[in-house]
Amino acid sequence: MSVNSMITPLSHCALPENSEPIVAWHQGQWLTHTEFVSDVAKAASYLSQRAGKAYALYYEQAYPFAVMLYACWHSGKTVWLAANNKAATAVKLQQQGCQLVGDWPEAQDVEVIEYDDRMSAYALSPLDLMYTELVLFTSGSSGQAKAIHKALWQLNNEVFALEQQWGESLADAHALATVSHQHIYGLLFRVLWPLASGRCFHSRMYSSPEALLANANQRSYWIASPAQLKRLDELSPWKSINNLCVIFSSGGMLALEVAERIYDLGTQKLVEVYGSSESGGIAWRVPVQDVLWRPFPAIKLVASSEQRHCLTSPYLPSDTSLRLDDRLELHSDGRFSLLGRLDRVVKVEEKRLSLTELEQALLQSDLVAEVHCLLRSDKRDCIAAVTVLTEQGLAQLRSLGKLAFIKQLKQPLLALFEAIVLPRRWVFMNQLPLTTHGKINHELINGLLSLSHHVSPYLVYCHQQDSRVELDLHIQASLVYFEGHFPTYPILPGVTQVAWVEQYGKLFFALKQPFLCLEAVKFKKIIRPDDALTLQLQWQPETGKLLFNFTTPTESHSSGRLLYRVEP
């Protein structure tokens, strides 16, 4: 492996050096490389005395994450990179033998790293690129997590390729991000690459472009996702955006109209990167200017006999190749076109179904704008369809009602598919729910599909935008809360309404903070069986307030605020 003299190998990033670069901006302080080395040495000293081998890391901020990542590696631990800090994730990692460390508010047995002044004497030596290990996760079309093991040399090769491609143009720019470092894209672009290249990274993950730009006081670049770039419009702060030296986008395909909007409204250079957790980076392009993708150096793509393409890469073991799940068209100059995902084939009651074919069939309807289908395994396997409706489709949904509208959508499908494989569960939304990485948000989808109609209202339609959600609900008479409340005149208890607010708040806004109290709660008009209501939710992360309002077109039934603790 050749070493670029302008970049430090990942194996040496926590070792003392002669220069004194700024490593990070963390909680209002500039932290130097010497401070980073000292913090890593203290944590490694503590961890070296612990018997556990595997550590699962989750940190909200990137600097303490980087410290603990290197501390684990220098003390001989294997790092498991948790995608989130949900209780279910914690349990699964603990079942794999992992000790939890970091910000795990819902988990019990969390390792608390204890420091004292003697720990700074711990000697750090170069890491072994071949045997230092990281385990991270990716998910397929079903959202089922898959563990991927990587050695440090693979990450090192990626970082060197990134620096070779863009290092000169970035120079000493600071790395600011609206994506998490808990996934491979954020890990590489906002933590490992800056550490190796001597660039400063901001520890905080910014919640919006406005928050990021307000902190871009130095020459900076933005590490973004397609979902975040999609929200840029005419009212976005383009003067500040254009001061950034580059915007990177990865984690999903950036729609052409989004790229064109950015070019039309600004002068900003936009770079799109294609790859996956398993493959590493594969190619890049400058959208609008480049329709085709340009592979990174030493990347090779070969068509296989099964109409797939196999990848060989300097980020994969030399004796292996990886079959890609995307359809590619190779061009004579080595570049390629992306033609979409290969068919995702599942079995429903022993019947084979291509989810891609089902989606394409649904998109033939004038009522459907976008759709994502997935296999659900509850008491029995079934297909669920998360569907974005056209204006015509939304009008018909509200005119016919959900059951009649679904019947209308399914009718033309019967000529193409057996009835047993058609969707049995439907969620209608104004947009496909995406994570900050631009991936389909399976956690939210599965959360909505898991709601029981015995205890949760019937969801007719969902309109989601940033920190606001509007849910069209049918309050079915079969809900358990109407039993005995009251026998001759059933009404929905106020405590149930508040419980629903928190339930949906946790689904859509990933609330993890402890609940403190209720504020300004008013129950103005009773809610009866078979009422049709809209639940309006607004999350204010700065104040920790979740605002709610149950309404009809003419009046409010109940409203108020749930207050959660805000971390300083």
Side-chain angles (χ1 to χ4, degrees):
M1 179 182 62
S2 62
V3 177
N4 187 329
S5 59
M6 299 299 292
I7 190 170
T8 302
L10 293 181
S11 55
H12 289 63
C13 283
L15 303 185
E17 59 179 41
N18 295 327
S19 62
E20 186 65 358
I22 298 295
V23 167
W25 171 253
H26 176 62
Q27 295 184 337
Q29 295 184 2
W30 298 107
L31 299 176
T32 66
H33 184 265
T34 297
E35 290 170 302
F36 175 68
V37 171
S38 174
D39 289 341
V40 170
K42 291 176 182 178
S45 177
Y46 175 85
L47 290 171
S48 65
Q49 302 171 38
R50 311 298 291 176
K53 173 65 176 175
Y55 276 73
L57 269 59
Y58 186 90
Y59 284 89
E60 298 287 352
Q61 302 232 4
Y63 179 75
F65 167 84
V67 169
M68 194 53 56
L69 175 69
Y70 268 88
C72 286
W73 281 342
H74 277 282
S75 57
K77 312 298 184 185
T78 296
V79 173
W80 290 61
L81 202 59
N84 58 59
N85 62 347
K86 300 290 187 182
T89 301
V91 170
K92 290 178 182 178
L93 288 166
Q94 288 170 325
Q95 290 172 345
Q96 296 288 330
C98 291
Q99 175 60 56
L100 307 180
V101 63
D103 303 325
W104 295 89
E106 298 179 6
Q108 299 300 317
D109 189 22
V110 178
E111 183 82 48
V112 178
I113 308 302
E114 299 175 351
Y115 299 101
D116 63 48
D117 293 338
R118 294 170 297 175
M119 292 179 175
S120 60
Y122 186 83
L124 300 174
S125 57
L127 298 170
D128 191 322
L129 288 171
M130 299 303 295
Y131 295 104
T132 303
E133 191 176 12
L134 177 76
V135 183
L136 45 84
F137 295 89
T138 189
S139 59
S141 59
S142 66
Q144 184 64 39
K146 175 184 177 182
I148 299 170
H149 295 251
K150 287 185 180 286
L152 189 58
W153 68 264
Q154 295 173 273
L155 302 173
N156 193 67
N157 284 0
E158 286 220 58
V159 164
F160 273 63
L162 295 176
E163 182 67 15
Q164 180 182 359
Q165 188 65 55
W166 293 295
E168 185 175 348
S169 60
L170 291 180
D172 59 352
H174 290 196
L176 283 67
T178 50
V179 301
S180 171
H181 51 267
Q182 297 286 149
H183 299 264
I184 187 66
Y185 169 46
L187 172 69
L188 288 168
F189 275 71
R190 66 176 295 208
V191 176
L192 296 183
W193 184 15
L195 277 175
S197 60
R199 296 186 185 93
C200 171
F201 64 86
H202 285 211
S203 184
R204 173 185 168 193
M205 183 182 80
Y206 295 104
S207 58
S208 67
E210 290 75 16
L212 180 142
L213 293 166
N215 287 272
N217 300 320
Q218 313 288 330
R219 187 170 184 270
S220 306
Y221 60 99
W222 178 11
I223 304 156
S225 75
Q228 294 150 356
L229 297 178
K230 183 179 180 180
R231 293 195 282 269
L232 295 177
D233 58 22
E234 292 84 354
L235 300 178
S236 298
W238 288 102
K239 183 177 180 181
S240 297
I241 292 172
N242 292 333
N243 288 332
L244 299 169
C245 59
V246 68
I247 300 174
F248 289 105
S249 176
S250 189
M253 288 290 291
L254 185 67
L256 180 59
E257 58 267 25
V258 174
E260 289 175 338
R261 186 189 312 142
I262 293 173
Y263 277 95
D264 290 342
L265 297 174
T267 60
Q268 180 52 58
K269 181 179 180 182
L270 175 63
V271 175
E272 191 175 5
V273 179
Y274 165 60
S276 70
S277 300
E278 195 168 8
S279 67
I282 296 175
W284 63 277
R285 67 178 180 178
V286 178
V288 180
Q289 296 179 10
D290 300 327
V291 176
L292 302 182
W293 293 88
R294 188 182 306 274
F296 285 107
I299 294 289
K300 293 183 180 179
L301 295 163
V302 179
S304 71
S305 58
E306 296 134 347
Q307 295 186 332
R308 288 178 177 262
H309 283 81
C310 289
L311 168 75
T312 56
S313 164
Y315 321 138
L316 297 173
S318 57
D319 58 346
T320 64
S321 63
L322 179 67
R323 292 202 310 172
L324 300 179
D325 291 326
D326 291 309
R327 292 188 297 120
L328 277 60
E329 180 183 356
L330 298 179
H331 295 259
S332 58
D333 61 358
R335 297 184 298 168
F336 62 87
S337 303
L338 273 176
L339 305 179
R341 300 285 291 178
L342 289 162
D343 288 353
R344 294 128 56 213
V345 178
V346 298
K347 278 191 174 183
V348 183
E349 302 289 333
E350 302 306 317
K351 303 291 184 180
R352 292 173 63 85
L353 169 70
S354 165
L355 295 175
T356 302
E357 288 182 10
L358 177 59
E359 291 168 353
Q360 291 172 345
L362 280 164
L363 289 171
Q364 298 306 306
S365 170
D366 294 335
L367 309 176
V368 176
E370 293 182 87
V371 64
H372 175 74
C373 294
L374 65 157
L375 178 67
R376 287 279 299 174
S377 297
D378 298 317
K379 292 182 179 178
R380 55 181 291 187
D381 288 347
C382 70
I383 300 300
V386 183
T387 309
V388 179
L389 301 177
T390 61
E391 289 186 11
Q392 179 184 351
L394 181 56
Q396 289 202 25
L397 170 67
R398 289 175 170 163
S399 172
L400 298 173
K402 190 171 181 179
L403 292 179
F405 180 71
I406 288 172
K407 184 177 180 180
Q408 179 175 316
L409 277 181
K410 292 171 72 170
Q411 189 60 41
L413 301 177
L414 290 170
L416 303 171
F417 303 93
E418 294 187 60
I420 198 169
V421 303
L422 295 185
R424 295 173 59 89
R425 305 289 303 277
W426 297 79
V427 178
F428 297 112
M429 308 185 75
N430 69 310
Q431 60 186 14
L432 291 180
L434 302 176
T435 67
T436 55
H437 304 276
K439 303 291 187 181
I440 294 292
N441 191 338
H442 285 103
E443 184 174 0
L444 172 57
I445 292 171
N446 287 321
L448 291 173
L449 292 170
S450 297
L451 297 176
S452 169
H453 289 163
H454 295 296
V455 295
S456 297
Y458 190 57
L459 177 60
V460 179
Y461 184 72
C462 169
H463 187 282
Q464 181 184 16
Q465 186 169 8
D466 298 330
S467 59
R468 295 175 182 266
V469 176
E470 286 193 2
L471 305 172
D472 291 346
L473 306 173
H474 175 75
I475 312 301
Q476 63 271 31
S478 59
L479 287 167
V480 297
Y481 308 111
F482 289 122
E483 297 176 8
H485 196 271
F486 295 94
T488 60
Y489 193 77
I491 64 174
L492 188 69
V495 67
T496 300
Q497 299 171 45
V498 174
W500 286 349
V501 169
E502 181 167 57
Q503 173 181 264
Y504 286 118
K506 287 184 174 180
L507 276 176
F508 285 97
F509 307 125
L511 301 182
K512 298 187 285 281
Q513 302 93 322
F515 171 75
L516 296 179
C517 64
L518 296 172
E519 289 184 339
V521 175
K522 298 178 182 179
F523 298 102
K524 308 166 190 175
K525 184 176 180 181
I526 60 174
I527 297 176
R528 300 269 289 139
D530 293 319
D531 276 353
L533 298 172
T534 295
L535 171 57
Q536 300 168 339
L537 297 175
Q538 180 183 358
W539 171 236
Q540 298 177 343
E542 298 81 7
T543 60
K545 292 180 179 180
L546 178 63
L547 285 64
F548 74 91
N549 196 2
F550 283 94
T551 68
T552 63
T554 58
E555 57 192 332
S556 172
H557 284 244
S558 63
S559 63
R561 298 186 293 268
L562 279 66
L563 182 61
Y564 296 83
R565 189 175 72 199
V566 178
E567 298 297 334

